[in-house]
């Protein structure tokens, strides 16, 4: 049993000593930050590979840019033994890009009422009739068919139900590819407890559909929190889902849910790993709950000052080196390292999804 996960080498060590994080301390929340191109997603991949290799901690990866969809694919230059071991892990990738792999689906009717109402932009007070109809439909929700919901609602004499059907159609929600309509949902995969579930949010036609998919996953994990299964919920580009300034009803629910998991999830085994470019882009109440910090290159003094203020356990003398970091260099601080240290991240074993677009040369 290995508690130490080797993620690279120590920067200030002449002998290039191994840099390690403590797997046992992933039972708290982690913040992973750095400006665009600093190497967050790549480095996150290195850490996730080590978690997959050395722990049984199930990963749920919310992947807005389809960066982790190739996590099951090994690089040709990966060391053979580690690659063979990693290849034996149960990594399920659920895709939102049409025609690519196993589709990402969720069940509309399994969502909590508040989430369904938010997707349909129904406010409990401003749209009291509609919301109340949804509320009253809850009693016979088990009778609703998993397919052709719109036709079913229309077949009922109640006019407010017809309005609901119209909303489903007018907002285009009824046509979303996300809905499982009787087929397997991504939550069924998560319940199977694979080593990792990659939830590809990058291929949907519109942001609302992508956010609804994330909400379906987070609601499911929260609703089943009493099972107390330790899970690491990785959210890359966390500003998409946990913005301090949510606008739409679904954005508000997402931020609320993530802040709630940040505040109360730890004791239920719901541990967050939030990755983003700037600390101010993620809600303060999620940020302030993070006991582990990985900081990559960050040249903005304002952002660094905020990091110093929120993460008091990161020494200023190391924080101020961040603007000089090369790609793949990071400061690790907090519970998951023995002591704050500067790290050169190691090489990935698995392939990346979308890599940077190159400038074409003549
Ligand atoms: N340690 C590394 N070794 C080799 N290549 C790397 C390393 N870190 C990053 N890269 C490459 O640099 C590019 C940018 O890295 P990455 O996508 O991880 O940045 P990022 O911080 O996640 O940026 P963004 O915030 O825009 O998502 C990628 O093409 C990646 O393959
Ligand atoms: Mg990235």
């Amino acid at each position: 049993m290995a508690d130490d996960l080797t993620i690279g080498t120590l920067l200030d060590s002449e002998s290039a000593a191994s840099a390690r994080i403590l797997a046992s301390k992933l039972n708290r929340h982690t913040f992973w930050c750095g400006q665009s191109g600093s190497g967050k997603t790549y480095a996150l991949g290195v850490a996730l590979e080590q978690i997959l290799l050395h722990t049984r901690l199930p990963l749920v990866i919310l992947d807005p840019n389809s960066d982790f969809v190739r996590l099951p694919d090994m690089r040709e230059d990966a060391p053979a033994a580690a690659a063979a071991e990693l290849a034996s892990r149960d990594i399920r990738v659920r895709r939102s890009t049409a025609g690519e792999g196993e589709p990402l689906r969720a069940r509309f009717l399994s969502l909590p009422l508040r989430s369904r109402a938010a997707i349909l932009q129904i406010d409990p007070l401003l749209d009291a009739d509609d919301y109340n109809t949804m509320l009253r439909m809850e009693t016979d929700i088990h009778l609703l068919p998993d397919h052709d919901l719109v036709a079913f609602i229309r077949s009922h004499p109640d006019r407010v139900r017809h309005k609901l059907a119209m909303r489903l159609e007018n907002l285009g929600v009824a046509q979303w590819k996300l809905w499982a309509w009787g087929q397997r949902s991504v939550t069924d995969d998560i319940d199977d407890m694979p080593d990792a579930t990659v939830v590809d949010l990058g291929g949907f036609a519109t942001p609302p559909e992508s956010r609804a998919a994330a909400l379906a996953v987070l609601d499911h994990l929260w609703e089943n929190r009493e099972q107390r299964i330790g899970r690491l919920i990785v959210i890359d580009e966390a500003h998409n889902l946990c913005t301090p300034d949510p606008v739409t009803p679904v954005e508000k629910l997402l931020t609320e849910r993530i802040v709630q998991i940040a505040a109360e999830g730890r004791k239920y085994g719901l541990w967050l790993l939030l990755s983003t470019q700037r600390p101010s882009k993620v809600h303060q109440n999620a940020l302030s709950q993070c006991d582990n910090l990985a900081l990559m290159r960050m040249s903005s003094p304002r952002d660094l000052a905020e990091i110093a203020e929120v993460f008091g356990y990161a020494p200023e003398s190391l924080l101020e080196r961040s603007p000089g970091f090369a790609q793949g260099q990071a400061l690790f601080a907090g519970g998951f390292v023995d002591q704050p240290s500067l790290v050169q991240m190691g090489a990935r074993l698995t392939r990346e999804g979308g890599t940077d677009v190159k400038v074409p040369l003549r």
Side-chain angles (χ1 to χ4, degrees):
M1 290 212 298
D3 187 20
D4 286 342
L5 308 179
T6 302
I7 49 160
T9 52
L10 290 174
L11 262 187
D12 289 339
S13 138
E14 275 174 21
S15 57
S18 297
R20 300 193 171 96
I21 53 176
L22 302 167
S24 59
K25 298 296 167 59
L26 291 168
N27 62 353
R28 50 195 72 195
H29 308 305
T30 303
F31 187 57
W32 202 295
C33 195
Q35 67 193 51
S36 180
S38 59
K40 293 181 298 298
T41 302
Y42 184 101
L44 203 51
V46 173
L48 299 182
E49 288 164 1
Q50 292 303 311
I51 294 170
L52 284 165
L53 278 172
H54 300 292
T55 77
R56 291 181 190 279
L57 175 62
L59 308 176
V60 176
I61 304 168
L62 299 183
D63 181 13
N65 286 342
S66 316
D67 280 323
F68 292 102
V69 296
R70 302 195 68 191
L71 196 59
D73 303 340
M74 301 303 133
R75 288 175 188 247
E76 272 156 26
D77 57 358
E85 177 84 21
L86 198 50
S88 73
R89 298 293 183 262
D90 183 1
I91 300 173
R92 302 194 189 173
V93 179
R94 296 298 173 255
R95 300 296 309 264
S96 48
T97 305
E100 299 266 351
E102 287 281 314
L104 170 59
R105 304 255 188 265
R107 270 187 291 275
F108 182 69
L109 294 178
S110 299
L111 288 167
L113 174 62
R114 278 185 76 201
S115 299
R116 271 179 282 136
I119 288 168
L120 295 178
Q121 299 180 31
I122 293 174
D123 183 272
L125 298 178
L126 297 177
D127 312 294
D129 279 355
D130 304 58
Y131 194 88
N132 194 255
T133 299
M134 287 187 85
L135 200 60
R136 282 183 282 117
M137 277 169 70
E138 287 302 282
T139 46
D140 47 49
I141 200 159
H142 60 282
L143 299 174
L144 295 181
D146 252 340
H147 52 88
D148 213 350
L149 194 57
V150 174
F152 179 81
I153 298 175
R154 276 196 197 288
S155 69
H156 196 277
D158 185 343
R159 283 185 57 80
V160 187
R161 286 201 182 191
H162 290 194
K163 273 176 69 191
L164 281 182
M166 271 202 287
R167 267 187 197 263
L168 271 163
E169 281 184 329
N170 292 357
L171 290 169
V173 172
Q175 279 76 47
W176 282 359
K177 291 200 163 50
L178 170 65
W179 305 128
W181 303 136
Q183 296 176 60
R184 240 180 113 74
S185 161
V186 63
T187 52
D188 300 328
D189 287 305
I190 290 172
D191 288 345
D192 284 349
M193 298 265 291
D195 297 303
T197 311
V198 178
V199 184
D200 166 27
L201 302 172
F204 287 115
T206 61
E209 193 171 357
S210 168
R211 292 202 176 93
L215 189 60
V217 169
L218 292 169
D219 278 342
H220 181 76
L221 292 172
W222 181 251
E223 289 200 318
N224 291 289
R225 65 191 178 282
E226 290 291 352
Q227 293 175 349
R228 291 173 190 264
I229 298 166
R231 280 198 175 92
L232 188 65
I233 307 167
V234 179
I235 310 184
D236 198 8
E237 310 270 349
H239 49 271
N240 288 320
L241 305 184
C242 189
T243 165
D245 310 303
V247 176
T248 68
V250 169
E251 284 173 5
K252 286 180 185 159
L253 279 190
L254 276 168
T255 293
E256 195 182 300
R257 179 65 78 220
I258 294 171
V259 165
Q260 187 173 34
I261 294 175
E264 302 170 49
R266 205 161 83 97
K267 56 181 177 292
Y268 297 111
L270 296 175
W271 305 312
L272 294 169
L273 194 165
L274 304 173
S275 173
T276 191
Q277 295 170 353
R278 302 182 62 190
S280 56
K281 288 171 87 176
V282 167
H283 198 286
Q284 269 280 337
N285 295 351
L287 211 60
S288 60
Q289 299 289 346
C290 293
D291 292 327
N292 298 320
L293 172 71
L295 174 69
M296 306 200 68
R297 179 180 161 90
M298 176 96 77
S299 48
S300 150
R302 190 154 19 121
D303 289 341
L304 275 176
E306 187 172 352
I307 293 270
E309 190 185 321
V310 179
F311 304 97
Y313 51 80
E316 298 254 0
S317 61
L318 295 184
L319 282 176
E320 64 194 24
R321 304 231 339 236
S322 164
F325 284 166
Q327 194 177 58
Q329 296 181 341
L331 159 63
F332 282 80
F336 69 167
V337 279
D338 286 331
Q339 58 184 36
S341 39
L342 301 183
V343 174
Q344 174 65 56
M345 295 300 299
R348 286 277 298 258
L349 303 171
T350 59
R351 292 188 189 278
E352 294 167 85
T355 46
D356 279 5
V357 178
K358 291 195 169 51
V359 176
L361 303 174
R362 292 195 190 279

